[in-house]
Amino acid sequence: MAENYHTDLYIDGAWHPAMAGGRIDILDPATEEVVATAAQAERADVEAAIAAAQQAFQTWRKVPAWDRSKVLRKAAMLLEERADRIARLLTLECGKPLGQARAEVISAVELIDWYADEARRIFGQTLPGRGADNRFMTIYEPVGVVGAFTAWNFPVVLQARKIAPALATGCTIVTRPAEEGTSSVAELVKCFIDAGAPKGTVNLVTGTPEVISEAIMDSDVVRKVTFTGSIPVGQHLMRRAADTVKRMSMELGGHAPVIIHEDVDPVTAALASAAGKSRNNGQVCVSPTRFYVHKKHEQAFTDAFAGALAGMKIGHGLEAGTEIGPLVNRKRLAFVEEMVEQTKAEGARVVTGGKRPADMNQGYFFEPTVFSDVRDDMRVMNDEPFGPIAPVTTFESFDEVIGRANSLSYGLAGYVFTGNQKLAQATAEALRTGIVGVNTFAAATAEMPFGGVNHSGFGRENGSQGLYDYLDAKFVNIAYG
Ligand code: NAD
């Protein structure tokens, strides 16, 4: 299945190998074979990319919004045309089943298309001033050169969420995707190039994260940094940003509670939960990760949930019928194995899974794992699992479950299942998260804001809010006469 895709750096409108010539290998997580390589940027490469972005900003910022919008619209069209090929690359590098990879590319198409519209809707305000000949006005201006870093779980969508609003607002960007998914991100960047994004507006740098991020964080030219990844790396970047007072957007980790109220059919909720949990093998920042089931439904929910997950087909993401692919890399597999062992040692019971599949000795596969007899003080209920681990616990009252759901410093997504509208509203409003799904695990869509509260970060992507993290508001006070 080797694809042998080779990504270079895209700087100032051209593809270049890294100046020092370094490359990194990218493995298929299902076979552990090299399927691609990417250039390994050194500091000088990143500095060249920043200089190109600074140069391009002087003209791109003045391009009318209607013309910027056309570039985005065309990029969305090209991405849609190329979706099958890009989805295949995504599966090869990240392991997700092909259908999920295609769905990811299509959601990137939708959000680029959405930003093409929003580019033309950057509304300022005009207010009467304090005197008869006085007007107050706000004008929104692009922040400037943006530095972006993204995780590997949705390489195309996460990059589209940064490149599209940057271009829509008149900013330019230097962006680093995770190693896993680099080839599909290179294809995404080609869509923007082929759509007419001028040279220097989008610059792609790949390689060691610390090397790239130090150059970006040190630069006073880069006026904003947007990061999708873990809380510790986000905190490090926030500390580094203080030196040059950069604006920041942080899309960080989550540990999403799921509250299954007494009035719901436990089997229906369990089947929905199995589908939600299995998506990208649980490697999703908004993945459901703490299942609070009403005491009355404990047995029925747990049996149906574990049964549905145990019945899913594990395999290579390109094989027909695969529902669960491998974890993305050896590090993630080791993390999941360790968390499962610790949860067992702390006294939880494995209902299904708990180990690597017996007949698969290559690739980073792990069985979806459901735990019962879970206590709130166990590590699995406090640290983000970011994998196929689902602890199930019970509750008896509304106040109790809300208190427990809100007890962590995470605040990205939360879910509630109930047919009672008043209870749905009360739960949605009580959860301290940036996103709530009521009877659904669909937590992200182009037209609505995506982001967290507390340690899950700040700033919003998508929706009409998504542009404003890339814009500075200027107050203009006009005294006529
Ligand atoms: P991570 O923070 O270790 O890595 C994320 C990305 O940042 C990777 O590409 C990594 O190479 C890069 N990185 C590492 N050190 C860096 C540095 N010093 N400067 C710049 N980039 C650096 O996280 P991970 O464990 O690989 O990814 C999973 C985490 O990402 C989870 O916590 C998950 O919840 C979070 N995530 C959040 C969202 C969201 O939208 N809120 C989306 C996806 C993933």
Side-chain angles (χ1 to χ4, degrees):
M1 291 189 190
E3 191 82 0
N4 292 324
Y5 191 105
H6 301 292
T7 301
D8 278 338
L9 309 175
Y10 188 71
I11 297 173
D12 203 15
W15 295 95
H16 309 269
M19 288 181 202
R23 297 202 76 80
I24 44 177
D25 287 341
I26 298 161
L27 307 185
D28 176 346
T31 63
E32 302 176 47
E33 285 168 9
V34 175
V35 282
T37 69
Q40 184 163 27
E42 300 296 340
R43 190 178 177 99
D45 297 299
V46 185
E47 286 174 348
I50 295 169
Q54 183 185 22
Q55 177 78 29
F57 179 60
Q58 308 314 322
T59 42
W60 183 245
R61 63 176 305 177
K62 295 184 191 141
V63 171
W66 280 73
D67 295 335
R68 296 200 302 266
S69 169
K70 282 178 194 152
V71 172
L72 270 77
R73 178 93 60 222
K74 178 98 191 280
M77 275 171 45
L78 294 173
L79 186 60
E80 189 166 21
E81 281 169 26
R82 302 171 188 179
D84 288 340
R85 174 171 148 64
I86 298 175
R88 193 182 140 78
L89 290 173
L90 255 180
T91 293
L92 280 170
E93 288 180 315
C94 303
K96 60 178 69 179
L98 190 59
Q100 291 185 29
R102 194 167 196 290
E104 175 181 341
V105 178
I106 295 305
S107 63
V109 169
E110 290 178 358
L111 77 88
I112 298 166
D113 193 53
W114 170 261
Y115 278 114
D117 288 334
E118 290 303 287
R120 298 181 296 194
R121 298 198 185 111
I122 300 172
F123 301 125
Q125 281 183 317
T126 308
L127 276 71
R130 296 293 184 98
D133 292 332
N134 185 199
R135 298 289 179 274
F136 293 159
M137 201 185 280
T138 51
I139 296 174
Y140 282 97
E141 297 181 339
V143 295
V145 176
V146 174
F149 308 100
T150 53
W152 39 264
N153 56 342
F154 291 90
V156 175
V157 157
L158 298 183
Q159 279 290 322
R161 279 187 192 166
K162 318 248 181 247
I163 299 172
L167 293 186
T169 49
C171 296
T172 58
I173 189 164
V174 177
T175 191
R176 177 198 179 267
E179 297 87 318
E180 302 89 350
T182 298
S183 313
S184 47
V185 172
E187 287 295 317
L188 169 73
V189 167
K190 281 181 195 162
C191 293
F192 285 101
I193 300 167
D194 295 346
K199 73 171 192 161
T201 52
V202 181
N203 301 276
L204 177 71
V205 287
T206 53
T208 313
E210 291 78 8
V211 171
I212 296 172
S213 86
E214 284 305 298
I216 287 178
M217 300 316 290
D218 283 344
S219 166
D220 220 350
V221 167
V222 178
R223 296 315 311 145
K224 174 193 166 70
V225 161
T226 169
F227 172 71
T228 302
S230 63
I231 294 172
V233 173
Q235 288 169 321
H236 166 74
L237 294 177
M238 283 184 254
R239 285 185 204 105
R240 291 289 281 102
D243 295 338
T244 48
V245 195
K246 293 188 202 318
R247 280 183 70 172
M248 304 231 90
S249 307
M250 289 283 147
E251 298 285 353
L252 306 177
H255 202 336
V258 185
I259 299 174
I260 318 271
H261 281 299
E262 188 178 2
D263 66 294
V264 299
D265 169 30
V267 174
T268 307
L271 297 181
S273 298
K277 183 73 232 180
S278 64
R279 184 163 164 254
N280 203 13
N281 226 345
Q283 303 170 113
V284 182
C285 50
V286 293
S287 184
T289 43
R290 293 179 283 151
F291 290 84
Y292 298 94
V293 182
H294 191 275
K295 181 97 190 130
K296 194 174 108 180
H297 296 317
E298 180 179 15
Q299 192 69 46
F301 176 88
T302 309
D303 289 350
F305 185 37
L309 284 170
M312 288 186 182
K313 182 175 182 248
I314 302 177
H316 196 294
L318 292 181
E319 276 165 27
T322 293
E323 291 166 282
I324 295 183
L327 293 164
V328 75
N329 55 32
R330 186 166 292 286
K331 188 174 144 210
R332 188 98 309 263
L333 175 63
F335 177 94
V336 166
E337 284 183 306
E338 196 221 313
M339 186 175 258
V340 165
E341 287 313 311
Q342 184 169 350
T343 309
K344 286 189 208 166
E346 287 175 339
R349 185 169 67 84
V350 175
V351 188
T352 188
K355 57 183 182 355
R356 302 179 68 173
D359 54 344
M360 296 172 108
N361 45 22
Q362 243 186 345
Y364 311 128
F365 293 97
F366 198 87
E367 291 178 354
T369 300
V370 175
F371 282 109
S372 66
D373 300 340
V374 169
R375 297 185 315 273
D376 288 356
D377 65 346
M378 291 177 172
R379 179 175 163 216
V380 71
M381 291 294 279
N382 293 279
D383 290 357
E384 179 185 26
F386 216 65
I389 306 177
V392 179
T393 183
T394 61
F395 72 94
E396 290 182 70
S397 79
F398 180 84
D399 289 346
E400 173 212 335
V401 76
I402 294 298
R404 291 166 66 198
N406 284 344
S407 64
L408 305 187
S409 53
Y410 298 97
L412 187 55
Y415 305 94
V416 48
F417 283 76
T418 176
N420 176 332
Q421 201 172 345
K422 191 170 169 198
L423 186 57
Q425 187 74 20
T427 313
E429 289 179 15
L431 283 172
R432 233 177 23 239
T433 57
I435 300 159
V436 177
V438 179
N439 301 323
T440 176
F441 287 108
T445 180
E447 62 271 43
M448 297 303 285
F450 183 96
V453 299
N454 292 345
H455 291 200
S456 291
F458 50 83
R460 290 293 178 267
E461 297 188 308
N462 300 353
S464 48
Q465 293 84 349
L467 289 180
Y468 288 90
D469 274 9
Y470 292 77
L471 293 164
D472 288 321
K474 180 182 274 179
F475 164 42
V476 181
N477 185 354
I478 306 174
Y480 300 104

